[in-house]
Amino acid sequence: MARERVDENSARGCRSMSRLKDDGADQVSNAIDLTSLSFQERLAIGLMRLKAQRRLTNKDLADQLGVSEAYMSQVTRGMRDVKLSTLDKMQREWNVTIEDLFRISESDLARIAAWRARRRKKKTTDEPT
């Protein structure tokens, strides 16, 4: 039931995860507002999920799409825009829908929290002291 609400919320893009307090993910869900995720970030999360489910690396994904590993790395970190033709290639090659790549589910919450923590850590280490 909670998963349905998460998927529904991500499709609408209008509610935050903080409404799922009864699901036991209080600390994580309170810290994540799904409406604040960009399309790049949503795709990065979707690709992380795909990689984990299929036990693939960025190199595997890049080889399947005919792109460089460096490009795939940037896409999976939300640092690179993706052309519509590349999204189309992703859905055809990996037998998923584009919506699947952008959908955020309850199982992604920990992944999102870890990803954001890494990004915050990198930002603080990059700033001059």
Side-chain angles (χ1 to χ4, degrees):
M1 180 172 205
R3 182 174 182 170
E4 291 171 4
R5 283 187 276 169
V6 174
D7 291 343
E8 179 183 297
N9 290 344
S10 65
R12 289 185 187 157
C14 61
R15 294 186 200 157
S16 74
M17 289 299 303
S18 62
R19 294 186 181 204
L20 294 178
K21 289 183 180 179
D22 58 314
D23 295 321
D26 293 342
Q27 294 173 351
V28 175
S29 64
N30 285 336
I32 300 171
D33 176 11
L34 293 182
T35 61
S36 69
L37 292 174
S38 69
F39 284 115
Q40 287 175 321
E41 292 170 325
R42 285 177 176 272
L43 180 60
I45 299 301
L47 291 174
M48 283 187 246
R49 182 178 56 248
L50 181 79
K51 285 171 49 179
Q53 289 170 344
R54 299 184 184 187
R55 296 187 175 141
L56 298 171
T57 64
N58 283 339
K59 181 164 178 33
D60 297 329
L61 297 180
D63 289 345
Q64 292 170 2
L65 294 176
V67 298
S68 73
E69 183 179 356
Y71 171 80
M72 201 72 239
S73 174
Q74 290 173 334
V75 170
T76 59
R77 289 181 287 143
M79 299 176 69
R80 186 84 183 251
D81 288 331
V82 178
K83 295 190 297 186
L84 289 176
S85 59
T86 305
L87 282 175
D88 184 54
K89 198 176 211 181
M90 287 176 180
Q91 77 166 358
R92 292 173 191 269
E93 185 68 36
W94 301 330
N95 197 30
V96 297
T97 66
I98 291 174
E99 292 85 6
D100 289 337
L101 293 173
F102 287 98
R103 181 175 295 123
I104 303 297
S105 66
E106 186 175 352
S107 63
D108 294 321
L109 295 178
R111 187 175 287 118
I112 294 169
W115 183 64
R116 284 191 167 173
R118 282 192 308 269
R119 290 183 81 185
R120 275 193 301 273
K121 183 177 180 183
K122 182 171 176 27
K123 281 183 183 178
T124 59
T125 59
D126 288 346
E127 292 176 359
T129 53

